[in-house]
Amino acid sequence: MNRNPITAHASTAPNELLMLMRRKVLHHIPLLDDSQCVVDLVTLDALTGMIERPNWVVLMAGGLGTRLLPLTENCPKPMLRVGGKPILENILESFVEQGFHQFYLSVNYLAESIQEYFGDGHRHGANIRYLHENKRLGTAGALSLLPERPEYPLIVMNGDLLTRLRFDQMLKFHEEHSAMATMAVREYDFQVPYGVVNIDGTSITSIDEKPVHRFFVNAGIYTLAPETLNHIPDDTFFDMPTLFERLRADNQATSAYPLREYWLDVGRREELERAQSEWEQQGRRQ
């Protein structure tokens, strides 16, 4: 028995685990919680994407990108370049690096430019098929175009996001919580720029100087059980929040997965410029 094993905390970032494995020439590391109890085992194959995952990935790439005009006048938003390549290509590569190879791209606006660039996906080590929205169906509605029901939980992600999320960890969380649908959420802080006065009638009870309010916001990444597709109508605009509301009304379990890794929604010009300055640096940290 090894009385002094090499371990890591369960919250350790994947890049740090990979560096530790390389430094110590290890193929696996036990992960411990705050009580020093083993809660997981991470392997080198899992970190390097050598484990092939059967889950389908659906990337929503049909948005108009009106807030990024005129950049999106002749270029769909997911094809805008960050780090020398389209946003959608960065997303695809992140999944492939983690062992995902089965993709559906939901396309609408300037769909031909996306199809011409990615083709069947073999250049990226992926199998890509396309869902053609003849009209806008929304984030969940596009899933009604899937030709068959997946065998395993599927991941759905907006095609204008950049993240270093460990998708396998989100899948594991989804399964551990026996959820029908899981939404990745991001903590968002909003600071009121003034002193907030609390009153009772006309009497001041307290004054909070520039208080900070914290919320969890939808990060645009979802894990869905195959049965979820039964709740999505055909040929109808149906967004993802509506799907979650319908599942909750039907007493189906839904869960929120806290996303703590790098994440950026490239929806406006300033966010695109930020992504262009940050993304490659984030990759080096990985």
Side-chain angles (χ1 to χ4, degrees):
M1 182 177 68
N2 183 357
R3 295 184 179 274
N4 297 292
I6 297 171
T7 63
H9 193 271
S11 63
T12 305
N15 60 309
E16 296 178 12
L17 291 171
L18 192 56
M19 286 190 291
L20 179 58
M21 285 184 175
R22 288 170 175 166
R23 191 166 63 248
K24 300 293 185 178
V25 195
L26 299 173
H27 289 273
H28 52 267
I29 294 178
L31 300 181
L32 311 182
D33 62 13
D34 292 334
S35 301
Q36 298 298 296
C37 294
V38 176
V39 294
D40 203 354
L41 180 75
V42 65
T43 67
L44 183 62
D45 286 350
L47 286 175
T48 56
M50 293 182 66
I51 295 177
E52 185 166 344
R53 306 187 186 281
N55 309 79
W56 295 357
V57 178
V58 181
L59 300 177
M60 298 298 171
L64 299 176
T66 52
R67 290 182 297 170
L68 281 164
L69 286 170
L71 297 178
T72 52
E73 186 173 351
N74 297 302
C75 177
K77 181 168 60 170
M79 296 301 288
L80 294 175
R81 291 184 171 263
V82 171
K85 62 185 68 173
I87 295 170
L88 195 56
E89 187 172 8
N90 283 298
I91 295 172
L92 189 74
E93 289 179 349
S94 294
F95 275 102
V96 171
E97 287 170 4
Q98 295 185 38
F100 297 89
H101 299 280
Q102 302 298 325
F103 295 87
Y104 281 94
L105 302 188
S106 179
V107 294
N108 177 267
Y109 177 63
L110 298 177
E112 62 282 355
S113 64
I114 295 175
Q115 288 186 254
E116 288 174 6
Y117 188 89
F118 290 101
D120 62 6
H122 75 275
R123 183 167 58 92
H124 294 88
N127 177 32
I128 297 177
R129 288 170 283 184
Y130 296 88
L131 306 176
H132 292 271
E133 295 184 57
N134 295 322
K135 62 179 182 180
R136 299 190 57 74
L137 295 176
T139 319
L143 299 178
S144 67
L145 300 176
L146 288 170
E148 56 186 329
R149 177 184 290 186
E151 183 178 353
Y152 302 93
L154 69 155
I155 297 176
V156 182
M157 178 172 168
N158 294 343
D160 56 357
L161 302 177
L162 290 171
T163 182
R164 297 296 181 183
L165 172 67
R166 283 295 306 275
F167 300 104
D168 61 330
Q169 292 300 312
M170 184 175 177
L171 276 170
K172 182 179 179 181
F173 178 94
H174 171 81
E175 292 166 357
E176 288 176 346
H177 288 76
S178 301
M180 181 69 74
T182 299
M183 176 188 296
V185 296
R186 184 81 174 175
E187 189 175 274
Y188 178 80
D189 295 346
F190 172 76
Q191 183 172 30
V192 179
Y194 309 103
V196 174
V197 181
N198 300 301
I199 62 174
D200 182 7
T202 59
S203 299
I204 296 175
T205 58
S206 63
I207 300 175
D208 298 329
E209 188 61 31
K210 298 181 179 178
V212 175
H213 297 278
R214 288 183 169 84
F215 308 91
F216 282 106
V217 298
N218 183 354
I221 308 169
Y222 315 90
T223 300
L224 305 177
E227 296 79 11
T228 305
L229 301 182
N230 296 336
H231 298 264
I232 300 174
D234 292 334
D235 199 34
T236 303
F237 183 88
F238 199 70
D239 60 20
M240 200 61 77
T242 303
L243 173 61
F244 274 75
E245 291 171 3
R246 179 169 292 188
L247 291 172
R248 290 180 62 251
D250 198 33
N251 295 317
Q252 300 292 333
T254 58
S255 61
Y257 177 74
L259 193 162
R260 298 185 175 91
E261 296 91 342
Y262 179 85
W263 175 90
L264 184 62
D265 178 359
V266 186
R268 296 175 297 178
R269 178 71 72 95
E270 53 265 37
E271 287 146 355
L272 177 62
E273 293 171 353
R274 178 181 166 191
Q276 290 168 338
S277 66
E278 290 180 350
W279 182 244
E280 288 187 321
Q281 182 179 356
Q282 288 291 327
R284 287 192 289 271
R285 290 177 183 173
Q286 291 293 98

